[in-house]
Amino acid sequence: MGVLKIAIQKSGRLSENSKKLLEECGIKFSNGTGVLKTTAKNFPVELLFLRDDDIPQYVEQQVADIGILGENVVFEKNKDINIIEQLGFAGCRLSMAIPREELYTGPQYFQNKKIATSYPRILGEFLKEHNISAEIEEISGSVEIAPGIGLADAVCDIVSSGSTLLTNGLHEVETILKSQAVIVGNKNLDTEKQAILEKLLFRIRSVKSANENKYILLNAPVSAIDDICKILPGMKSPTIVPLVEKGWCSLHSVVKEDEFWVRIDQLREAGAQGILVIPIEKMIL
Ligand code: ATP
Ligand code: ZN
């Protein structure tokens, strides 16, 4: 029986969420410090703990079959691999930033400037697209300090809240790329590995749907049911159970996490009472 080799980041911003996702998929593995490789106890996968930058190359060469990493690194490394699934965590963007006191006039601002980045390929494409000639200073970390120490005029760096830029006296002027964690895969997986991957993806999608939805229970007068059903489309249609009190019923459905508060307000206006909202552990579609 084959195993699917999964590369995840050894330590960094992706590690915890990558491990959590696999655990929520019911995959049990031990994770001692300093371990580079571990085999899951109850699912045919092996985990490899690597630097995120190395994952695209390893997946291309099939040292690993699939990997979890940020799209920013996938695009920068530009290897011959597939993006299989977006995972919805580690959201960030790759942006251009310049010293706060500088006035930004558009991409032409970067003409003949020196720009520090860990993303020379993506930055190069951006400059080419805008017909700008600029010097790219490639550095591997702490890019945001480059202007402050006189190494560069501007930076092209990963931003999530923007607070790191602010504390370094920079302001964000262009977003080049939006990114989140994805699963990438080798293009030539054999049928056995492909079958394990399909099983894993089924579990991942169930976990993702569960995280994106809530179970909702409420009481309402029978006369309000039509209006309430329009607010709550649910998975198929809501479940409606009569209450002992005449003219009233209880309604059960599913609501999307990101529309949650809007829906609650609408439901209350429509006459719903005693609303209960419960997290969903797994959602099988
Ligand atoms: P490694 O040692 O594995 O090379 P790293 O220092 O390159 O780690 P991290 O800082 O751990 O990488 O970030 C990993 C990924 O997390 C990034 O490539 C990006 O996709 C995502 N990310 C999300 N938010 C941020 C952020 N605020 N700063 C940096 N990366 C972020
Ligand atoms: Zn890295």
Side-chain angles (χ1 to χ4, degrees):
M1 177 72 179
V3 294
L4 187 76
K5 291 177 285 179
I6 308 177
I8 64 171
Q9 192 190 22
K10 184 170 165 52
S11 73
R13 289 187 159 92
L14 297 163
S15 320
E16 283 315 308
N17 281 327
S18 304
K19 284 186 270 185
K20 193 172 124 220
L21 177 66
L22 295 172
E23 279 162 3
E24 284 176 338
C25 289
I27 299 173
K28 293 198 164 63
F29 50 89
S30 58
N31 178 40
T33 43
V35 180
L36 295 180
K37 206 163 98 159
T38 184
T39 305
K41 298 187 177 82
N42 56 352
F43 197 74
V45 296
E46 190 173 276
L47 296 187
L48 307 176
F49 301 99
L50 301 170
R51 282 201 60 194
D52 64 348
D53 311 66
D54 298 332
I55 294 178
Q57 183 185 340
Y58 284 170
V59 169
E60 183 182 57
Q61 296 171 352
Q62 221 177 356
V63 174
D65 300 307
I66 66 168
I68 299 179
L69 76 164
E71 288 174 303
N72 51 320
V73 175
V74 180
F75 295 137
E76 177 61 28
K77 298 299 174 187
N78 199 27
K79 298 290 182 190
D80 192 21
I81 53 179
N82 289 331
I83 293 187
I84 297 175
E85 183 88 3
Q86 298 194 313
L87 297 173
F89 61 84
C92 59
R93 54 195 188 271
L94 187 65
S95 291
M96 307 294 294
I98 64 174
R100 195 167 34 210
E101 62 282 4
E102 292 278 314
L103 183 70
Y104 186 63
T105 48
Q108 283 305 320
Y109 174 90
F110 298 107
Q111 188 67 37
N112 299 324
K113 293 276 198 302
K114 192 170 173 185
I115 310 165
T117 191
S118 305
Y119 297 84
R121 209 191 74 81
I122 301 175
L123 174 57
E125 297 259 299
F126 170 81
L127 295 173
K128 208 166 91 190
E129 203 177 295
H130 291 92
N131 273 320
I132 291 156
S133 90
E135 190 182 338
I136 299 178
E137 181 73 36
E138 184 178 349
I139 46 180
S140 61
S142 302
V143 170
E144 67 283 354
I145 65 167
I149 58 173
L151 184 67
D153 306 305
V155 302
C156 165
D157 200 11
I158 293 290
V159 184
S160 52
S161 70
S163 59
T164 311
L165 291 181
L166 281 182
T167 48
N168 285 282
L170 300 172
H171 72 128
E172 192 179 349
V173 293
E174 293 278 352
T175 300
I176 302 189
L177 176 95
K178 288 209 164 79
S179 174
Q180 62 175 293
V182 289
I183 296 188
V184 293
N186 180 275
K187 288 192 165 171
N188 302 301
L189 294 181
D190 63 34
T191 48
E192 207 173 8
K193 286 179 188 286
Q194 194 64 43
I196 302 169
L197 175 60
E198 290 303 326
K199 264 192 170 170
L200 178 65
L201 287 174
F202 173 75
R203 294 189 185 191
I204 286 175
R205 287 171 192 148
S206 303
V207 169
K208 256 173 52 187
S209 314
N211 290 340
E212 286 164 6
N213 290 280
K214 302 262 181 235
Y215 194 73
I216 182 164
L217 301 99
L218 57 87
N219 293 335
V222 175
S223 57
I225 290 297
D226 279 352
D227 287 344
I228 289 179
C229 287
K230 284 186 198 123
I231 302 167
L232 288 178
M235 288 172 82
K236 276 213 175 71
S237 64
T239 306
I240 298 169
V241 187
L243 293 187
V244 175
E245 191 176 332
K246 229 172 161 259
W248 280 75
C249 61
S250 168
L251 189 144
H252 306 190
S253 189
V254 171
V255 61
K256 282 207 170 357
E257 165 88 72
D258 56 0
E259 337 178 308
F260 174 73
W261 287 111
V262 180
R263 295 286 176 239
I264 295 293
D265 289 341
Q266 293 170 341
L267 289 169
R268 291 179 55 200
E269 271 167 39
Q273 296 181 5
I275 303 173
L276 286 181
V277 177
I278 302 168
I280 298 173
E281 167 85 23
K282 300 283 185 297
M283 190 159 153
I284 315 299
L285 297 170

